Amino acid sequence: AGGALSSSPEQSSTTCVRIPADLVRQAVLDPSVLDPFLHIPGECLAGGDAVAFPTETVYGLGADATRTEAVGKIFQAKKRPADNPLIVHVSSEAMLEPLVAAAGKEDVRRRELGWGDRHDRLARELMAKFWPGPLTLLFPASSAVPAAVTAGLGTVGIRMPAHPVARRLIHLAGVPVAAPSANISGRPSPTVADDVLADLQGRVSMVVDGGPCTVGVESTVLSLIRDPPMVLRPGGITLEELREIIPNVELYCPEESPVGESETPAAPGLKYRHYAPEAKVVVLEFGGKESGAVTAGKAA
């Protein structure tokens, strides 16, 4: 454990915990091999700090999803708009239960959203098929979930990541972890730790390097509350895969019903610019008098 933490000279204010690739592979069968590397990051999360870590989709910037002050550190580090809801990551179904408005306890909230027993059954079926994995389900949020996470909505997006580092870290922290992508808002989502450091160096206290992400795009966000059920954000689970369980599931089309300037989006990725690199872009225009002309510009 003594060599688990390292800070390179140019990363004086952000500690990077680098986990050897062979241990990440071993952790699929024995997650405890990661404990010497994740003990301190787990304590940081439990203590209310923000920590960047790998998932199978992209690197996330996480904080205790049950504490408003901790969640605020995510928004501050990312420069994220406050009306952009967060997705909560759990390491077990037992960690999920307190986050969801339960029948017999918070029936008013469930009724307001039109959520009933059939939604519970369908959610369990989807979880059995796709969890752990890159599927986020929208549930009726319990009173344990702060408004900072839901952006004031009655729903909360939750998923169980498949990456062994992510799940073990959340387990050791002992708290559900709200985690958007670990980048400045609007920038491309990072799939390696060095890209996290390039964006958030000095803005977060710790980054866990668990190697490159295998999926490379965010999780699919699925709303069961809508009728028919709707994919609000495409991602690591395809529409075709979902139709094996929900034949009538549809894909949200932002062109048909865009989110207004004063509206709160139901899920991340629906309102604000994202995946916007800072790079030179060459546009080839063909046709007309200027056929073959080449113009260059910079990505917005």
Side-chain angles (χ1 to χ4, degrees):
L5 302 181
S6 66
S7 294
S8 60
E10 68 274 19
Q11 297 165 6
S12 57
S13 59
T14 298
T15 299
C16 186
V17 181
R18 300 194 184 272
I19 305 175
D22 60 330
L23 285 186
V24 175
R25 290 190 292 269
Q26 289 179 40
V28 175
L29 298 177
D30 180 12
S32 67
V33 300
L34 300 172
D35 291 2
F37 295 86
L38 297 181
H39 177 69
I40 292 178
E43 286 186 340
C44 287
L45 283 172
D49 207 350
V51 174
F53 61 93
T55 76
E56 74 278 14
T57 57
V58 299
Y59 271 73
L61 178 60
D64 183 350
T66 66
R67 298 169 62 179
T68 299
E69 183 179 354
V71 170
K73 295 179 181 179
I74 296 174
F75 287 92
Q76 183 177 13
K78 283 178 59 70
K79 302 179 182 179
R80 183 182 177 91
D83 67 345
N84 202 3
L86 300 174
I87 290 172
V88 179
H89 298 66
V90 298
S91 60
S92 66
E93 289 189 26
M95 189 176 282
L96 163 75
E97 291 177 6
L99 305 174
V100 179
K105 295 182 179 180
E106 295 183 271
D107 288 331
V108 172
R109 181 164 296 195
R110 289 165 63 92
R111 284 196 298 269
E112 287 175 349
L113 295 169
W115 185 279
D117 292 342
R118 66 183 180 89
H119 296 93
D120 288 329
R121 290 192 295 271
L122 183 54
R124 283 194 291 270
E125 187 176 359
L126 289 162
M127 288 157 54
K129 173 74 172 178
F130 297 112
W131 283 15
L135 177 65
T136 294
L137 297 173
L138 291 189
F139 293 93
S142 76
S143 57
V145 183
V149 172
T150 66
L153 300 173
T155 57
V156 58
I158 306 175
R159 83 178 187 97
M160 185 188 299
H163 199 295
V165 172
R167 275 211 318 285
R168 190 62 177 179
L169 176 62
I170 297 167
H171 169 76
L172 291 175
V175 296
V177 174
S181 56
N183 56 278
I184 298 295
S185 289
R187 297 289 308 281
S189 301
T191 56
V192 295
D194 285 345
D195 288 345
V196 177
L197 290 167
D199 238 16
L200 298 180
Q201 168 67 40
R203 303 187 68 84
V204 297
S205 61
M206 188 167 293
V207 175
V208 177
D209 182 357
C213 302
T214 55
V215 175
V217 294
E218 274 92 350
S219 64
T220 299
V221 178
L222 175 64
S223 173
L224 301 180
I225 295 172
R226 303 205 180 195
D227 189 16
M230 182 171 289
V231 170
L232 300 180
R233 183 183 73 182
I237 300 297
T238 66
L239 196 64
E240 291 72 23
E241 289 175 298
L242 291 172
R243 282 178 174 160
E244 294 177 10
I245 294 178
I246 314 173
N248 64 334
V249 65
E250 294 184 354
L251 179 64
Y252 170 73
C253 181
E255 289 78 15
E256 293 180 1
S257 54
V259 178
E261 186 64 31
S262 62
E263 292 182 84
T264 298
L270 299 185
K271 182 176 181 180
Y272 295 100
R273 185 186 73 167
H274 55 295
Y275 293 128
E278 291 183 357
K280 182 178 180 181
V281 176
V282 175
V283 179
L284 301 180
E285 297 179 343
F286 298 94
K289 296 181 179 179
E290 301 298 325
S291 178
V294 178
T295 61
K298 191 174 183 180

